[in-house]
Amino acid sequence: MHCLHCDKTSMTTETLVLGAGIIGVSTALHLQARGHSVAIIDRSAPGEGASFGNAGLIERSSVVPYAIPRDLRSLLNFASNRSAAVHYDPAFLPRIAPWLMGYWKASHPKRLMTIARELLPLIEACLDEHDRLVAAAGLSHLVRRDGWIEVVRHDAALSEAAQRSAKLKADYGLNAQVLDRAALSRLEPSLKAAAIGGIHWRDPFTVTDPGALTKGYAAHFEKMGGTVIRETVRGLSSQANGWRVTTDRGHYDAANIVVALGAHSGGLLAAQGYRIPLVGKRGYHLHFRPELAAGLNHAVLDEEVGYVLAPMAAGVRLTTGVELAAPTAPINRVQMDRAERRANEIFPLGKPVEDTPWLGLRPATPDMKPVIGPAPRHKGLWFAFGHAHHGLTLGPATGRLLAEMMTGEKPFADPAPFDIGRLL
Ligand SMILES: Cc1cc2nc3c(=O)[nH]c(=O)nc-3n(C[C@H](O)[C@H](O)[C@H](O)COP(=O)(O)OP(=O)(O)OC[C@H]3O[C@@H](n4cnc5c(N)ncnc54)[C@H](O)[C@@H]3O)c2cc1C
């Protein structure tokens, strides 16, 4: 079915994708490639949500998702609320208590390994699926293909990281190289002596401007005949032959709806009777112009402290860990200030480019898996959200999986682990 009329405020199309983040845009591209007429609706330009401000890692080496640690030292560190990796508003935690409980249970080592196994086919596909879209959209100038570096500050941490990477190499075939201080300095001459070594995770790609990548994918979607509508979605109602989406400007009808609104997906679906445990794990970034001739050749993760330094088009991007606070709470600089202070110990950051940090929401389910697939009680309603720390990584693989399900192709990965039913 084709567009009947494409005036701005009302249109009928085969599929409407709600959300122009990396997940929505990738899904739209995969549906378009399979012959669907597709429009995307977003209140902002494509790639302005979480997909704008992430650390840019297409994380092929992250085969085990970010669980709640179970060792007492890490837990006490988090509980102190002084870590850069995790910060929380004590008044917010009771509001997400069931989600936290679910996250804690899913973090049990045995369950975590099952979850990692279920996610693996998507992770294994992440580089190839990005590669295809990058080539089609002509965006290879945004992608680096030489991995990222996990730095350590102590000998004990280096031997622990070396053991961990050897196990991941053996279990998952990852390409990881242990770096002593000299090897680290050869790769990253600007790192100070506090970084005594690290692991070079060589498989992943990194992106020098994640917002531009999503925008570039969206521009390719439009070039191939897709429509991007810039309006705010207000509601969703089922019709005799499909769905009606109401926006601030009008309404749009479609046989299929894909909900890809990132951390905002839950609100819209609550009105359809789906109470989805989705929390926006907040995260910040700020760019820096390094001192003198200092620079970074790779993204660098300081695991012990909990931040990433990523060389980007706009400067060296410092991204923080997780903040658990209400989605609309004001920006709290405490975590960024901590991360900045500690990052300066290993790298001469220089002056910040912006006055205020950027804030984004990672859409997180309690079991660390995204939701990909059909709504159980509504024909033509499809879900693609909840990618938490790995949405940039998994966007194109998710888009392919969902498009295959929607068009009745044999899915390249088992979709059962991503069914919403597990969370309801
Ligand atoms: C600090 C930080 C670092 C990260 N680092 C990485 C990384 O290195 N690698 C990685 O893989 N992932 C990373 N992530 C996670 C990744 O950014 C997210 O998982 C991913 O961007 C989620 O994509 P999305 O399309 O689901 O959501 P979004 O990009 O947030 O897109 C959702 C869209 O919905 C739109 N929207 C919401 N409500 C409405 C409405 N009512 N009407 C119309 N439009 C609406 C928004 O405008 C937005 O464009 C990081 C995240 C953060 C915050």
Side-chain angles (χ1 to χ4, degrees), residues 73-420:
R73 200 162 142 246
S74 306
L75 287 173
L76 287 175
N77 186 26
F78 290 168
S80 74
N81 220 2
R82 287 173 187 281
S83 106
V86 179
H87 188 257
Y88 58 89
D89 170 3
F92 183 63
L93 297 191
R95 288 170 52 187
I96 56 164
W99 177 89
L100 274 173
M101 189 49 76
Y103 191 9
W104 173 256
K105 282 188 188 154
S107 300
H108 184 279
K110 248 177 133 175
R111 265 201 77 193
L112 186 60
M113 283 308 112
T114 305
I115 290 166
R117 204 170 50 243
E118 291 170 339
L119 279 164
L120 192 59
L122 297 189
I123 297 279
E124 283 175 339
C126 72
L127 301 179
D128 284 349
E129 292 303 328
H130 266 290
D131 252 342
R132 285 196 192 107
L133 297 189
V134 162
L139 297 170
S140 54
H141 57 285
L142 296 177
V143 180
R144 295 182 181 183
R145 292 156 198 278
D146 53 357
W148 57 270
I149 296 173
E150 174 183 342
V151 293
V152 297
R153 292 165 178 252
H154 305 102
D155 289 333
L158 186 57
S159 46
E160 183 279 320
Q163 275 176 27
R164 178 164 38 85
S165 67
K167 177 147 177 47
L168 288 169
K169 249 173 148 170
D171 291 352
Y172 297 95
L174 297 182
N175 186 354
Q177 191 183 351
V178 180
L179 308 170
D180 60 13
R181 172 70 204 161
L184 179 64
S185 295
R186 277 195 296 278
L187 288 175
E188 295 295 347
S190 299
L191 286 181
K192 298 182 189 174
I196 62 130
I199 308 291
H200 184 186
W201 297 99
R202 300 186 75 164
D203 300 294
F205 295 167
T206 56
V207 178
T208 53
D209 188 340
L213 188 79
T214 300
K215 285 179 196 304
Y217 285 172
H220 181 62
F221 166 75
E222 288 189 285
K223 197 173 136 203
M224 302 306 287
T227 306
V228 179
I229 299 162
R230 194 161 164 181
E231 292 175 28
T232 300
V233 175
R234 299 263 193 246
L236 189 60
S237 52
S238 62
Q239 308 271 92
N241 295 320
W243 292 91
R244 169 158 293 187
V245 175
T246 309
T247 70
D248 54 342
R249 305 259 293 275
H251 60 80
Y252 299 89
D253 294 337
N256 302 294
I257 300 291
V258 175
V259 179
L261 294 168
H264 306 279
S265 301
L268 186 75
L269 294 173
Q272 304 299 322
Y274 296 105
R275 287 170 58 85
I276 296 161
L278 193 66
V279 166
K281 286 174 152 183
R282 293 163 45 120
Y284 296 93
H285 84 222
L286 195 61
H287 295 104
F288 291 83
R289 285 267 164 245
E291 291 166 7
L292 303 169
L296 286 174
N297 300 315
H298 302 81
V300 167
L301 165 72
D302 186 345
E303 168 77 14
E304 186 183 320
V305 181
Y307 64 85
V308 172
L309 290 176
M312 296 247 171
V316 172
R317 179 176 286 186
L318 169 57
T319 62
T320 62
V322 171
E323 183 188 30
L324 294 174
T328 51
I331 283 176
N332 182 346
R333 285 200 72 123
V334 63
Q335 229 173 341
M336 178 55 76
D337 291 346
R338 270 179 209 150
E340 180 183 344
R341 202 171 52 248
R342 299 298 312 272
N344 259 312
E345 294 167 1
I346 66 159
F347 179 77
L349 275 179
K351 294 262 174 292
V353 173
E354 304 92 358
D355 293 334
T356 313
W358 169 90
L359 168 65
L361 299 175
R362 305 172 180 94
T365 62
D367 66 4
M368 295 163 275
K369 291 184 293 184
V371 176
I372 307 168
R377 297 190 295 274
H378 295 90
K379 188 168 175 285
L381 181 61
W382 301 84
F383 300 146
F385 53 78
H387 293 73
H389 296 263
H390 294 114
L392 172 67
T393 303
L394 296 178
T398 292
R400 176 174 165 192
L401 183 62
L402 189 64
E404 287 172 346
M405 294 170 82
M406 289 175 69
T407 54
E409 273 173 63
K410 185 175 169 357
F412 80 93
D414 179 8
F418 311 113
D419 192 89
I420 185 81

